[in-house]
């Protein structure tokens, strides 16, 4: 019996080669702050992210990492 594919797997197959990796989900600041993944960093999310903008989880990780490596004045 064939396995049932998820929506994202089917969409990735239909995309031109090389674009499948680029298909990432985007989330609002509120969704990210409510997530289990960023629960310990909600205060940083509030400071770094803009209301109404959508972000990928990877982009948020990069923003947090860059912020944490910044120099203290």
């Amino acid at each position: 019996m064939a396995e049932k594919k998820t929506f994202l797997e089917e969409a990735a197959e239909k995309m031109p080669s090389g674009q499948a990796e680029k298909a990432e989900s985007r989330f609002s600041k509120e969704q990210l702050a409510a997530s289990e993944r960023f629960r310990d960093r909600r205060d940083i999310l509030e400071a770094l992210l803009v209301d109404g903008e959508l972000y990928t989880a990877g982009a948020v990780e990069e923003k947090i990492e860059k912020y944490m490596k910044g120099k203290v004045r």
Side-chain angles (χ1 to χ4, degrees), residues 5-37:
K5 295 182 182 178
T6 66
F7 172 77
L8 292 176
E9 290 171 335
E10 289 177 7
E13 287 179 356
K14 294 177 185 176
M15 287 184 178
S17 179
Q19 288 187 354
E21 297 84 28
K22 295 180 185 177
E24 276 192 78
S25 297
R26 295 184 174 272
F27 305 96
S28 68
K29 175 180 170 178
E30 294 78 20
Q31 289 173 314
L32 291 162
S35 72
E36 183 74 21
R37 181 175 182 174

Side-chain angles (χ1 to χ4, degrees), residues 1 3 6 10 12 16 40 43 45 53 60 64 71-73:
M1 184 188 282
E3 290 184 35
T6 66
E10 289 177 7
D40 294 334
D43 55 339
L45 294 180
E53 294 285 324
V60 173
I64 291 172
K71 292 186 179 185
V72 177
R73 295 180 189 191

Side-chain angles (χ1 to χ4, degrees), residues 26-72:
R26 295 184 174 272
F27 305 96
S28 68
K29 175 180 170 178
E30 294 78 20
Q31 289 173 314
L32 291 162
S35 72
E36 183 74 21
R37 181 175 182 174
F38 295 107
R39 102 178 144 191
D40 294 334
R41 298 184 254 173
R42 287 184 184 136
D43 55 339
I44 295 173
L45 294 180
E46 284 295 322
L48 297 178
L49 304 183
V50 178
D51 289 329
E53 294 285 324
L54 298 178
Y55 303 91
T56 63
V60 173
E61 289 284 352
E62 288 177 19
K63 280 183 174 286
I64 291 172
E65 186 176 326
K66 184 178 177 182
Y67 173 79
M68 296 301 283
K69 288 183 179 179
K71 292 186 179 185
V72 177

